Amino acid sequence: MTTGLRFLVLGSAAGGGLPQWNCNCANCAAARDTSSGLLLQTQSSLAVSLDGETWAIFNASPDIRQQIQQTPHLHPKGLRHSPIRSVVVTNADVDHIGGLLTLREKQGFDLFCTATIGGVIDANPIFGVLDPAIVRRHAIRLDETFFPLEGLEARIFAVPGKVALFLEGDTPDLGLEGEQTIGIEFLVGGRRAYYIPGCASLPDWLCGRLHGADLVFFDGTVFADDEMIRAGTGHKTGRRMGHMPIMGDEKGPGSLHSLSGLEIGRMIYVHINNTNPIWRDGPERKAVTAAGFEIGHDGMEIGLA
Ligand code: MLT
Ligand code: MN
Ligand code: ZN
C-alpha cells in the first residue's frame, strides 16, 4: 500500500445530505433518480491516513455507518477491530457529532475537540454511550499542535463561525472567532493542507494562512447567499447559517473570489448543501471549475506524496 498523506472524502454534503430526507428540490429529486447521473452524497466527513492502515476521521457524521460500509479501508481487520484510531470534531453541529453515537460498542479511539465543543457533547447525556474509559478525550487548544495519528502533525485554529444551530439564541453572533468553529491545518513532510468545512468569512489573516497551501478543503455550503430562499426550501441565507457563499454579492465577497487570488495547489469544496447548483452541470458549476476549483464527492481520494 502506498504511503504518504492521504485524504478520503467520506461525505461531501452538508447537514441533511443529498438527498435530504424531506426535500424534493431539483437536486434532491435528481439524486433519487438513478438515471440522472447525480449520485447520493452523505454528510460532511473526511478521513485522513499516513500509512493506509490507520485512519483519523474529521467529523463524525450521522452517516458514518454507511460511510464506513462503503469504504473498505475502514472495515474491521479482526473480530473486533477498527482502523479508525481517532475522531476530530470541527464544530458541534449535528452533522459533525451525530455519528459519535454510532461509534459506541466498546471500541477504543481518541476523540479530539476543543473544550468548548467537548462541553456541548458533555451537556448531552446521550453521548455518555461513549465510555470515557474506552474513548479517550483530548481537549485541544487553539493553535496547539496535536497528533491525530502517529506522525500526522495537525493544528487547530479558530475560523469565523457561530455556535451550533441547536444552541442559537434569538440573535446569534455570526462572526465568532473562538473554539466553536475550527479549521484544521495538516503539516507533513513539508506539505501543508487545510480542512475548513464551516466558515463564515475569509478575513485577510485567513487568506494569508491558506496562501501557498498544497490542498484546501473549504466550506461550499451555498453557491448564492439566498439560494435556499429562492429555491423555496428555507428562509435563511447562507451567511445566517454561518456559511459564506461561494459567489459574492452586494453584502460581501464570496469564497470563489477570495480564494482564487491565492496560490493553492488543489482547492476542493466540501460541506455542499443539497440546494447548491454546483451539484449539477450549469453556469454555477462552470464558474467553480473555471477557477480551477474542484467539487468534492463521496469517495474522492487525494494523496500528497
Ligand atoms: C450547518 O452546517 O449549518 C449545520 O450543519 C446546520 C444543521 O445543524 O443542520
Ligand atoms: Mn453542517
Ligand atoms: Zn433538496
Side-chain angles (χ1 to χ4, degrees), residues 7 192-195 212-217 264-268 294 302 304:
F7 298 87
R192 187 156 55 92
Y194 293 88
Y195 175 55
D214 295 288
L215 171 66
V216 174
F217 293 98
I264 294 174
R266 285 180 77 174
M267 205 335 274
I268 301 168
E294 298 170 71
I302 289 121
L304 288 182

Side-chain angles (χ1 to χ4, degrees), residues 30-38:
R32 286 189 189 96
D33 173 2
T34 50
S35 69
S36 75
L38 182 55

Side-chain angles (χ1 to χ4, degrees), residues 184-259:
I184 315 274
E185 181 174 71
F186 300 94
L187 298 157
V188 175
R191 299 296 205 141
R192 187 156 55 92
Y194 293 88
Y195 175 55
I196 307 175
C199 192
S201 63
L202 271 164
D204 289 346
W205 69 260
L206 182 49
C207 289
R209 187 158 191 159
L210 301 182
H211 186 67
D214 295 288
L215 171 66
V216 174
F217 293 98
F218 195 79
D219 184 345
T221 307
V222 293
F223 184 83
D225 194 40
D226 63 351
E227 84 191 19
M228 286 177 49
I229 299 167
R230 282 194 282 119
T233 60
H235 59 277
K236 279 189 192 165
T237 63
R239 291 189 182 95
R240 172 60 187 81
M241 297 191 299
H243 300 289
M244 85 182 288
I246 292 174
M247 188 53 70
D249 54 29
E250 65 290 348
K251 285 185 248 154
S255 59
L256 188 66
H257 179 76
S258 300
L259 294 171

Side-chain angles (χ1 to χ4, degrees), residues 14-286:
L18 176 73
Q20 179 174 306
W21 72 282
N22 64 341
C23 188
N24 209 14
C25 73
N27 287 340
C28 287
R32 286 189 189 96
D33 173 2
T34 50
S35 69
S36 75
L38 182 55
L39 301 176
L40 312 186
Q41 305 293 325
T42 61
Q43 298 171 78
S44 182
S45 182
L46 180 74
V48 182
S49 183
L50 275 176
D51 59 8
E53 286 172 12
T54 54
W55 292 81
I57 304 293
F58 291 79
N59 291 319
S61 103
D63 298 325
I64 195 164
R65 179 178 171 278
Q66 179 187 341
Q67 291 165 341
I68 292 170
Q69 179 54 29
Q70 61 200 26
T71 310
H73 292 304
L74 302 181
H75 292 178
K77 305 294 185 284
L79 180 59
R80 281 295 170 103
H81 168 266
S82 172
I84 297 173
R85 291 294 156 81
S86 62
V87 175
V88 184
V89 176
T90 66
N91 67 23
D93 280 338
V94 173
D95 55 346
H96 289 165
I97 64 171
L100 291 174
L101 298 176
T102 299
L103 298 180
R104 63 197 189 282
E105 321 291 8
K106 302 287 175 212
Q107 186 66 45
F109 60 91
D110 291 300
L111 175 57
F112 295 93
C113 59
T114 64
T116 300
I117 295 171
V120 175
I121 293 171
D122 290 337
N124 287 272
I126 193 168
F127 290 105
V129 294
L130 296 178
D131 181 349
I134 296 167
V135 176
R136 301 164 295 272
R137 178 84 67 82
H138 307 275
I140 32 175
R141 283 197 291 262
L142 298 175
D143 306 308
E144 187 178 87
T145 296
F146 71 108
F147 290 85
L149 294 171
E150 208 182 308
L152 179 59
E153 184 177 341
R155 201 173 292 156
I156 61 165
F157 56 100
V159 297
K162 63 168 185 62
V163 296
L165 175 61
F166 60 88
L167 296 174
E168 282 184 10
D170 290 338
T171 49
D173 186 338
L174 301 177
L176 291 174
E177 278 183 29
E179 289 198 347
Q180 302 79 13
T181 310
I182 59 169
I184 315 274
E185 181 174 71
F186 300 94
L187 298 157
V188 175
R191 299 296 205 141
R192 187 156 55 92
Y194 293 88
Y195 175 55
I196 307 175
C199 192
S201 63
L202 271 164
D204 289 346
W205 69 260
L206 182 49
C207 289
R209 187 158 191 159
L210 301 182
H211 186 67
D214 295 288
L215 171 66
V216 174
F217 293 98
F218 195 79
D219 184 345
T221 307
V222 293
F223 184 83
D225 194 40
D226 63 351
E227 84 191 19
M228 286 177 49
I229 299 167
R230 282 194 282 119
T233 60
H235 59 277
K236 279 189 192 165
T237 63
R239 291 189 182 95
R240 172 60 187 81
M241 297 191 299
H243 300 289
M244 85 182 288
I246 292 174
M247 188 53 70
D249 54 29
E250 65 290 348
K251 285 185 248 154
S255 59
L256 188 66
H257 179 76
S258 300
L259 294 171
S260 58
L262 308 176
E263 266 173 43
I264 294 174
R266 285 180 77 174
M267 205 335 274
I268 301 168
Y269 280 119
V270 291
H271 193 279
I272 305 165
N273 196 50
N274 59 75
T275 53
N276 193 322
I278 67 171
W279 284 124
R280 295 187 294 159
D281 285 337
E284 296 88 355
R285 188 179 177 97
K286 206 168 263 169

